């Protein structure tokens, strides 16, 4: 439950960004006259916290479904006819579910860009893969300086990776106001 946002999108990204921001703040506490020594990152603990926050929110949504008496079937839907779905459940059994109207809210999947070599290269991951690295990579190349690319670039740079962003458009965050790009550039020049 919770789709991309809760499981592999907004929420896990924000958990990583929060940890990365806290790390940066801790490193610069001396600006406030507070002496803090940072002994490194327990990456396993960062990942576990990400899972815990996600699971908590997912169970919240599951609870809301129950509280509102909405039936949830865990399985994959396909159309059996114009008035019924066939759902293949997790245990392999099938259920026919009749309907009057259907809302398709199946989300999207990451598009694989037509970059030669991308499919064959095991080092290439999408955002879901990048949220679950088993360690902070030494170097990270982010292709695409949109919102998701910049969030991941910021988090991993703060965690200590040497990050490079490649963007084809004239500015980072190409779909957003130029003022935001300027702010982002300015912040990236600050020590992290
Ligand atoms: C890394 C990342 C960070 C993001 N950060 C933000 C953010 O900060 N703010 C923001 O607003 N948005 C953010 N987004 C975008 C946001 O997650 C999506 O816009 C949102 O999840 C789309 O919701 P949805 O309900 O349309 O689809 P989804 O959340 O993808 O939900 C669709 C669901 O349908 C299920 N499904 C698909 N096919 C079937 C089938 N045949 N049978 C049964 N179930 C099926 C899928 O398993 C999935 O659970 C982010 C996305 C990513 C990847």
């Amino acid at each position: 439950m919770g789709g991309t946002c809760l499981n592999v999108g907004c929420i896990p990204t924000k958990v990583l960004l929060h940890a990365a921001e806290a790390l940066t703040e801790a490193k610069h506490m001396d600006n406030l006259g507070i002496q803090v020594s940072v002994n490194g990152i327990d990456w396993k603990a960062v990942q576990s916290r990400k899972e815990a926050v996600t699971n908590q929110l997912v169970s919240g949504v599951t609870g809301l479904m129950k509280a509102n008496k909405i039936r949830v079937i865990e399985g994959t839907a396909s159309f059996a006819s114009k008035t019924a779905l066939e759902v293949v459940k997790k245990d392999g059994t099938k259920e026919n579910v009749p309907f009057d109207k259907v809302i398709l809210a199946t989300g999207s999947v990451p598009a694989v860009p037509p970059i030669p070599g991308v499919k064959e290269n095991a080092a290439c991951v999408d955002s879901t893969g990048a949220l679950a690295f088993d360690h902070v990579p030494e170097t990270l190349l982010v292709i695409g300086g949109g919102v998701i690319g910049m969030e991941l670039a910021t988090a991993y740079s703060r965690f200590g990776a040497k990050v490079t962003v490649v963007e084809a458009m004239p500015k980072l965050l190409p779909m957003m106001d130029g003022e935001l790009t300027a702010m982002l550039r300015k912040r990236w020049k600050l020590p992290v």
Side-chain angles (χ1 to χ4, degrees):
M1 296 298 295
T4 302
C5 185
L6 262 54
N7 292 282
V8 288
C10 334
I11 301 303
T13 328
K14 284 356 155 238
V15 174
L16 291 192
L17 277 168
H18 181 200
E21 187 177 22
L23 176 66
T24 306
E25 276 191 11
K27 281 182 184 169
H28 296 284
M29 278 286 168
D30 54 343
N31 291 341
L32 304 179
I34 300 167
Q35 298 303 317
V36 173
S37 71
V38 178
N39 299 321
I41 306 164
D42 180 348
W43 186 245
K44 234 174 152 184
V46 172
Q47 285 288 329
S48 301
R49 180 166 180 272
K50 186 198 76 182
E51 294 302 319
V53 171
T54 301
N55 289 340
Q56 191 186 352
L57 293 176
V58 168
S59 20
V61 174
T62 308
L64 279 173
M65 294 295 109
K66 275 191 195 138
N68 287 284
K69 298 188 174 53
I70 296 170
R71 186 182 173 214
V72 176
I73 308 172
E74 291 191 3
T76 305
S78 59
F79 285 96
S81 71
K82 284 187 177 173
T83 53
L85 283 185
E86 180 185 84
V87 182
V88 179
K89 296 193 207 172
K90 279 192 170 165
D91 62 6
T93 59
K94 292 178 182 173
E95 182 175 336
N96 208 275
V97 187
F99 58 82
D100 295 321
K101 297 280 183 197
V102 181
I103 296 173
L104 284 183
T106 48
S108 56
V109 289
V112 179
I115 301 172
V118 75
K119 279 188 201 151
E120 298 78 20
N121 193 334
C124 288
V125 295
D126 57 19
S127 57
T128 303
L131 287 167
F133 283 142
D134 58 9
H135 63 281
V136 176
E138 218 169 286
T139 58
L140 179 67
L141 180 66
V142 179
I143 306 177
V147 176
I148 294 173
M150 294 314 293
E151 282 191 331
L152 291 168
T154 302
Y156 279 105
S157 158
R158 290 183 163 193
F159 286 133
K162 192 170 185 319
V163 177
T164 306
V165 176
V166 181
E167 170 52 57
M169 299 293 277
K171 65 182 183 81
L172 295 169
L173 302 178
M175 306 300 280
M176 304 188 87
D177 284 354
E179 281 171 25
L180 286 170
T181 309
M183 277 168 64
L184 190 76
R185 280 188 166 277
K186 208 170 158 193
R187 287 199 72 149
W188 264 40
K189 280 185 189 154
L190 291 174
V192 289

